[in-house]
Amino acid sequence: MNMEGVEGVSAPPPRFTLTPIQTLKEDILFCVDGDAESQVEMKIATGASGRPLTRLDAIKQAILMFVNAKTTIDPNHRFAFCAIGKSVSWVRKEFNNDVDSALSALRSISVNPTGGLADLTHLFRVAAHEAKKSRAQNRLFRVILFYCRSSSPPHHQWPASQKLFTLDVVYLHDKPGPENCPQKVYDALVDALEHVSEYEAFIFESGQGLPRVLFRQVSTLLAHPQQRCVQDDLDIPKSLARKTPPADAMTGAEVIPVPSQ
């Protein structure tokens, strides 16, 4: 009997199906700002030597945490490293998944004050070239940029039609003041990632100088670009807050007398 023909009985709703897709392994290029502002000290943080932790120190620790976590999720992800002053220079060009090699590359990144604006055009050229090689191996290419300048917006010249990789950004900056304009820098970074990114790109910023904020943001970047929601819909990581029981529950609770001494 056809149930649709029986009065008062409706057909069950169609089943929801999710089309399976192949999640590609990632080649991730870390680009670290080597400008003088990367030497600004973080708050409430000291390194193993007892000296204050700088932005660059905290960035290196966050990247190492990321590499360890990402290779634990899937050891087939690979990483390379570069630094940016006015332009980009390679730190380790070979992509691999070796944590010790990543640590060695991070140790070799140092501050190289150059002044002036950072030109992201060369970074995008490098990323596009490497992304084509990754695609040939059926892999996905991503750039994670750590930027530390509070008064120098980056610039670039790149055709909007070329979206060969995804650009994530972590922006550490000073508080707004007469000599800096972090909002202007942030807007330029947003424009850059929207201009070049193939998949949903994330950008995080912090002017608090707290390492835990940086580590939380970098942990969120573990999300694979093919599996992301729009950043405006992102509600993780959630803050850990102690929940107190509602007043009604407290009223009805049994009171246990405490004997006097």
Side-chain angles (χ1 to χ4, degrees), residues 84-103:
I84 185 167
K86 283 186 177 180
S87 188
V88 172
S89 59
W90 281 106
V91 175
R92 193 194 72 193
K93 190 173 182 179
E94 177 192 359
F95 284 84
N96 64 45
N97 62 351
D98 184 66
V99 176
D100 290 336
S101 177
L103 178 59

Side-chain angles (χ1 to χ4, degrees), residues 198-234:
E198 178 182 15
Y199 292 97
E200 178 67 20
F202 288 168
I203 179 169
F204 298 107
E205 60 80 28
S206 176
Q208 303 175 51
L210 297 174
R212 69 172 182 271
V213 174
L214 171 63
F215 298 153
R216 185 172 68 235
Q217 293 170 342
V218 173
S219 295
T220 307
L221 295 182
L222 289 167
H224 195 287
Q226 289 181 295
Q227 298 175 318
R228 294 178 175 181
C229 64
V230 177
Q231 184 168 354
D232 289 342
D233 296 336
L234 196 66

Side-chain angles (χ1 to χ4, degrees), residues 134-191:
S134 296
R135 286 190 173 197
Q137 301 173 47
N138 200 30
R139 301 177 66 87
L140 198 68
F141 196 87
R142 176 160 47 132
V143 177
I144 301 180
L145 170 65
F146 292 85
Y147 199 75
C148 299
R149 309 180 199 190
S150 301
S151 58
S152 300
H155 64 97
H156 65 86
Q157 294 180 342
W158 193 253
S161 58
Q162 288 194 39
K163 296 182 183 290
L164 301 173
F165 57 91
T166 299
L167 173 66
D168 290 332
V169 178
V170 178
Y171 177 37
L172 305 181
H173 58 85
D174 296 334
K175 298 289 185 182
E179 297 182 356
N180 57 52
C181 49
Q183 183 63 56
K184 186 177 180 181
V185 177
Y186 179 83
D187 291 343
L189 291 168
V190 170
D191 174 73

Side-chain angles (χ1 to χ4, degrees), residues 118-122 124-125 154-160 162 195-196:
D119 186 357
L120 300 182
T121 306
H122 186 207
F124 295 165
R125 288 199 190 107
H155 64 97
H156 65 86
Q157 294 180 342
W158 193 253
Q162 288 194 39
H195 193 81
V196 302

Side-chain angles (χ1 to χ4, degrees), residues 40-45 52-55 58 172 209-212 214:
V40 172
E41 294 178 357
M42 305 290 283
K43 296 178 181 177
I44 323 174
L53 206 65
T54 65
R55 286 175 180 166
L172 305 181
L210 297 174
R212 69 172 182 271
L214 171 63

